[in-house]
Amino acid sequence: QVQLVESGGGLVQAGGSLRLSCANSGRTFSPYTMGWFRQAPGKEREFVARVGVSGGTTIYADSVAGRFTISRDNVKNTVYLQMNSLKPEDTAVYYCAAKIGYASDTDWRAYRYWGPGTQVTVSS
């Protein structure tokens, strides 16, 4: 069982940075592809980034590429999302998720395990 909990959200001014963490308190998540998604009020959940099982491969949404960095530490059972140059449109609840297998990396429906989310608010 994978049990995920996000932390590190908060309120930040535009142009600022935040680092989100997602810790797994269950069994190791090293076999799982890990992803970050976000959902703003009234909008659908959208893909942000994902990192492969070894941490060597990453994919980013166009809207965050060059500003966000996803990484993972399989020893600490934790995945991170470093967010720089934040914009008001980045405001959302951010979720980490885990999936196994070869289903789409960017489709939230392919992910089996989810954390409860952490709020990120970027003020202008």
Side-chain angles (χ1 to χ4, degrees):
Q1 185 75 12
V2 175
Q3 297 174 316
L4 305 173
V5 178
E6 304 93 341
S7 61
L11 173 64
V12 64
Q13 289 188 334
S17 298
L18 283 174
R19 187 194 196 202
L20 304 184
S21 298
C22 174
N24 171 34
S25 60
R27 62 188 301 175
T28 180
F29 69 9
S30 57
Y32 295 86
T33 294
M34 299 299 298
W36 285 96
F37 291 78
R38 66 187 182 186
Q39 188 166 18
K43 295 188 177 181
E44 294 188 355
R45 189 166 299 190
E46 67 172 352
F47 170 76
V48 175
R50 83 95 169 108
V51 60
V53 295
S54 66
T57 59
T58 56
I59 297 174
Y60 296 93
D62 289 344
S63 58
V64 307
R67 299 188 297 123
F68 291 11
T69 302
I70 187 172
S71 61
R72 67 190 294 165
D73 185 331
N74 287 340
V75 174
K76 294 183 178 180
N77 255 1
T78 303
V79 62
Y80 305 97
L81 186 68
Q82 177 67 44
M83 306 186 296
N84 298 329
S85 302
L86 283 161
K87 304 175 181 180
E89 51 263 44
D90 294 318
T91 294
V93 177
Y94 282 71
Y95 300 90
C96 71
K99 79 173 187 75
I100 198 164
Y102 300 100
S104 171
D105 288 334
T106 61
D107 186 344
W108 64 267
R109 292 166 291 187
Y111 288 75
R112 179 175 183 181
Y113 300 104
W114 290 83
T118 186
Q119 177 70 47
V120 171
T121 303
V122 184
S123 62
S124 58

